[in-house]
Every structure is written in C-alpha cells, then in structure tokens.
Amino acid sequence: MWQRRLFTHVTAMPWRNGQGVTRIIAEDNTHTLPAWRLSVADLLYDAPFSAFAGWQRSIALLGRGALVLREKTGAWCHTLEAFCEPYVFAGEDEVLSSCPSGAVLALNLMLRHSGHAEQKEDFVLHQKRFSIRNTGQTKNNYFLFPSTGRWTMCSGGVEHSVTAGAVWYCTSETVQNTVLEPMEEESSLYYIRT
C-alpha cells in the first residue's frame, strides 16, 4: 500500500559543510553502513556541495528553475532543469552549484560503492503514463516524487491525486499493481526503486 509524506513533515538538517539544508527521505537500514540514502535538498543560493567519498550520487531537479553543477577543476559542468534525466557523478568530486533562476529543490540518491555485485537501482524520469508491477522476486523500496503538474495514481482499485511537495512510497511486500497517469501537459515525476 502506498503511503504519502509531505516534505514539510521531514526535519531539515544542515549539510555537512553548513552551506545548505537537506531532508533525508529514506535510507538503507539493513547494513551497519547504509548502502543508499535518498534526500531532498533546499538550494537557496550558490554553494559548494559536501563531498562523500566512496559514494555515487544521482541528482535531479524537483519543479521549475535551473541548477548548474560544476566540478571545481573544470572536469565537467552540467545544468539541471525541469524535465531532465538525473545526472550521475562521483561523491568525492568537489562540486560547486549555482541557482541562476533562484532557489530550487534537488532530489539526491546516493549509493555506496561496494565490492559486491552491481546494485540494481532505478532512478527514472516519467512524463507519460506508466505502471509498476509487483513481481514479488526481491525486496525493493519504491518512491514516487512528483515534480511538475498533477498525476493520478490507481492502485488496488483506489485512486489518488499525486502532486509536488510530497513523496509516495511503499515496499515490495505492500505494493500493488499501480498505474500513474499525467493529468496535465508538462507533468513530470521521478520513480526510484532501491
């Protein structure tokens, strides 16, 4: 069964470097050292990111605006806007961020590097109707982050309105076959499976 949590109900914590705040939405609690962490950061002004050696980071913009990310030595530069696929970079990269159009919200999935087999995570932008099926094969966590517009979610015969400012989540033990349908043009939603 899908549950909804508003971002405003998640405690904002300062970044490790003190240059911003983040809300931890969920993290792996099955290992002594978490294998993954999912958060939403408020970027109010230009600031450097905290470094996380040994992690891979995937980031996307929630809502409108723009976020420019630049590796400190100039090795890479990338601009995130509405309707962008997530951008992946190394956690140890020294990253400078700027918000040319004002404050933005960023969705951040961090995966710890491990010596084990390749981890199977999905972080996908959807703009059209899609479905989530319960295969029952492995234990997974599912997250839906509406970014722009409105969506309708039908799961187990129940219909929900899905809008920005919240996360919808469930596990493979409780997920039912689910269909998500955009209700407006230029609707976007990020689907994450860990």
Side-chain angles (χ1 to χ4, degrees):
M1 175 189 307
W2 290 94
Q3 298 179 62
R4 177 176 174 258
R5 189 172 187 194
L6 295 172
F7 297 155
T8 55
H9 292 175
V10 181
T11 302
M13 301 178 349
W15 288 0
R16 183 188 294 174
N17 66 12
Q19 298 294 309
V21 295
T22 193
R23 292 173 171 82
I24 298 175
I25 303 299
E27 63 185 340
D28 171 41
N29 58 10
T30 61
H31 302 90
T32 304
L33 293 174
W36 58 269
R37 186 174 90 179
L38 184 57
S39 61
V40 173
D42 295 281
L43 290 96
L44 305 176
Y45 46 82
D46 301 356
F49 276 19
S50 300
F52 286 88
W55 293 78
Q56 171 186 287
R57 297 180 73 167
S58 300
I59 190 167
L61 194 66
L62 290 175
R64 307 283 180 175
L67 175 62
V68 179
L69 303 176
R70 181 175 59 84
E71 197 276 330
K72 188 176 181 179
T73 66
W76 56 263
C77 183
H78 187 79
T79 301
L80 291 168
E81 297 176 308
F83 319 117
C84 275
E85 293 292 336
Y87 183 69
V88 180
F89 61 96
E92 55 268 13
D93 285 356
E94 292 186 63
V95 178
L96 306 174
S97 71
S98 61
C99 310
S101 55
V104 294
L105 280 180
L107 176 58
N108 185 33
L109 174 63
M110 296 189 352
L111 305 172
R112 187 181 296 278
H113 294 303
S114 69
H116 304 298
E118 192 68 25
Q119 296 170 328
K120 303 289 188 214
E121 284 82 14
D122 292 320
F123 188 167
V124 181
L125 169 68
H126 286 283
Q127 294 179 272
K128 297 180 180 177
R129 176 188 169 108
F130 72 101
S131 61
I132 300 167
R133 302 278 177 215
N134 184 355
T135 61
Q137 295 174 350
T138 58
K139 182 173 183 200
N140 293 114
N141 300 286
Y142 300 90
F143 302 92
L144 301 171
F145 288 86
S147 182
T148 58
R150 293 180 305 119
W151 292 74
T152 296
M153 175 172 64
C154 186
S155 179
V158 178
E159 194 170 284
H160 302 277
S161 178
V162 176
T163 57
V167 56
W168 289 80
Y169 60 95
C170 66
T171 64
S172 51
E173 287 94 344
T174 62
V175 69
Q176 298 175 318
N177 292 340
T178 302
V179 176
L180 286 117
E181 181 93 36
M183 300 306 293
E184 301 170 356
E185 286 188 30
E186 297 191 353
S187 292
S188 61
L189 179 147
Y190 289 99
Y191 162 76
I192 296 175
R193 179 182 59 84
T194 62

